[in-house]
Amino acid sequence: MADQNALENARRFAGKEHRLFIDGVWREPRSGSAFEMRNPGDGTLLGQAAKGEAADVDLAVRAARTALEGVWADTKPAERARLLWRLADAIEAHADDFALLETLNNGKPLRDARLFDVPHAIETLRYNSGWATKLGGDTINLSGPGTWHAFTVREPIGVVAAIVPWNAPFAMSVAKMAPALAAGCTLILKPAEQTPLTALRLAHLVEEVGFPKGVFNLVTGFGETAGAALVEHPGVDKVTFTGSTEVGRHIVRAAAGNFKRVTLELGGKTPVIVMPDADIKRAIEGAARSIFTNAGQVCNAGSRLFAHESVFDALVEGVAEHAGKLRVGPGLDPATQMGPVVSQEQKDRVLGYIEAGVREGARISGQGTAASGPGYFVPPTVLTGTLPTMSVVREEIFGPVLCAMSFSDGDLDAIAARANDTDYGLGAIVWTQNLSAAHRLSRKLKAGTVRVNGGGLDPALPFGGFKQSGWGRENGRDGIEAYTELKSIAIAL
Ligand code: NDP
């Protein structure tokens, strides 16, 4: 339940005049214009964000460059660590404000924002804070003629552009900012046009805790203008992006100008494989959670269920029952278990996929009830009779729609082949009590993360995709090292 005062404060924050945070100063966008922020739970207007464009991006990149080569380069790793830790403390002290803003702007249940998004962001800052003082290189033994002292060092990659989507805007903004700043880079953050609110609040705390000016910059605006200007800007050294595969492809092309380093976390079509020996009750709960959390707007959502024929009916019935009971409603309603999707456009897209699936021959074997009212609600849905050629099976729906399929052969190669029959390769989930099958299947699945019998995200666990799910990894040591360049130094003695 939201505290009424806190909710009023959050609404007041949303409604105030917002600017761009560039070089430690809140600036009017050059365009002088703004765009609307809405509450997906009821479609109401929350406020307006500044519409940053190419000229603002240019200013932000210059500020980030100056800070990179000046004050931030002179800031010792331990001080970078302290600043990140202080930011984590400041967010923790205002945790409920962030959860409320996330729910108001993204629509997710307040409970989820409180239990996952905000704590995850805090832990990500603390985890990466620890890395600031631990990044280093190796000493290398050379075999050529002469006597050498050879070693490697890790240097910050430079100015980073972070472009984030709307499904977990706060957690994702921090997941990019924390390792970038810990590694000694400076950053320009561009949140999605639908959900800039928590990024705006974050920038105020960055200012409060005393990061030097220009280290963290925030440009709100549209992808085609602000986002495109960032990925094309010659002063940007790296782009880290989460979003659609289509825009990811565009970014790769746009980054070619100065060969920006690029990390891409794109879509997914995660298979959930249920073996005949699985703990069925837990598998049902896990499968339902995996597709209905955040109304299915999760890159790693378990959207393709493959269950052995001996347990298939039980699985479908169980997940369908779950869908039927889910309370779908506005994120601020304490009874809500699944919120709206982020926009009317996304709602139309998801409903369009369900219709296309049925048109192509799929059956709706279970469906919950979308709340009535002006919010962007869609019903949690279980489809059966789906074939590998159907669009619902091949494409990322990014909504609460599960395609359930069965297999009869226990051959692990055959199961893995069906699970791997996708352009994506972000995640895979296996439910089994057979240790050997768990290990063998994990090796055969072409996915960046394989989870056996449950589990969630952790800032220490590398996350990213095989195939068209992206390039590179976020989180863990690999995640922070992606914000560094490795330099080899060889000194003749
Ligand atoms: P996008 O990929 O368009 O948006 C993600 C981010 O990229 C936003 O900040 C967006 O800005 C920005 N962007 C858009 N175009 C450009 C560009 N030319 N150059 C630089 N940045 C750009 O996602 P959508 O919002 O259009 O969602 C569409 C679909 O993408 C979803 O239905 C889902 O399938 C997938 N998706 C996947 C996500 C994931 O986590 N893997 C997350 C979100 C979406 P702006 O908001 O202004 O468009």
Side-chain angles (χ1 to χ4, degrees), residues 61 106 121 230 267 285 334 360 393 426 432:
V61 173
N106 163 279
L230 273 170
E285 282 164 11
E360 291 171 39
V393 175
L426 191 58
T432 181

Side-chain angles (χ1 to χ4, degrees), residues 289-376:
R289 196 171 45 246
S290 177
I291 189 63
F292 300 139
T293 297
N294 212 24
Q297 303 166 115
V298 179
C299 46
N300 207 17
S303 50
R304 293 180 301 144
L305 174 71
F306 295 97
H308 187 266
E309 60 183 6
S310 62
V311 294
F312 179 75
D313 288 346
L315 253 293
V316 170
E317 266 167 42
V319 180
E321 191 185 329
H322 205 95
K325 285 186 184 158
L326 267 184
R327 290 285 297 264
V328 182
L332 286 175
D333 181 342
T336 290
Q337 293 167 309
M338 194 183 95
V341 294
V342 77
S343 61
Q344 183 64 44
E345 186 188 356
Q346 192 63 14
K347 175 178 172 177
D348 294 343
R349 205 182 137 94
V350 175
L351 295 180
Y353 269 112
I354 298 173
E355 277 167 32
V358 171
R359 221 173 25 247
E360 291 171 39
R363 284 184 307 281
I364 295 178
S365 288
Q367 195 165 48
T369 310
S372 55
Y376 313 128

Side-chain angles (χ1 to χ4, degrees), residues 164 166 190 193 222-223 227 241 243-244 250 266 299 346 349 396:
V164 298
W166 37 259
K190 206 242 26 109
E193 66 189 66
F222 293 166
F241 169 79
S244 62
H250 176 82
L266 307 174
C299 46
Q346 192 63 14
R349 205 182 137 94
E396 183 179 48

Side-chain angles (χ1 to χ4, degrees), residues 16 35 64 66 106 161 164 169 185 270 291 309 316 334 401 444 448 480:
K16 81 187 200 74
F35 59 97
T66 303
N106 163 279
V164 298
C185 297
T270 293
I291 189 63
E309 60 183 6
V316 170
V401 183
K444 292 175 194 295
I480 190 163

Side-chain angles (χ1 to χ4, degrees), residues 8 42-43 77-78 163 178 200 204 215 266 290 332 349 372 377 385 393 416 434 460 468-469 488:
E8 270 318 302
D42 57 15
I163 301 178
L200 284 161
H204 283 282
V215 168
L266 307 174
S290 177
L332 286 175
R349 205 182 137 94
S372 55
F377 302 107
V393 175
N434 179 327
Q468 292 186 31
S469 286
S488 299

Side-chain angles (χ1 to χ4, degrees), residues 93-140:
H94 297 281
D96 222 39
D97 299 352
F98 278 95
L100 281 164
L101 290 173
E102 196 77 327
T103 290
L104 279 174
N105 200 187
N106 163 279
K108 64 181 64 195
L110 182 57
R111 187 171 175 275
D112 292 359
R114 280 175 172 158
L115 282 179
F116 172 72
D117 297 74
V118 179
H120 185 73
I122 294 167
E123 285 316 311
T124 299
L125 278 163
R126 292 192 174 136
Y127 174 81
N128 282 287
S129 156
W131 271 116
T133 49
K134 290 158 198 75
L135 288 172
D138 295 313
T139 46
I140 315 284

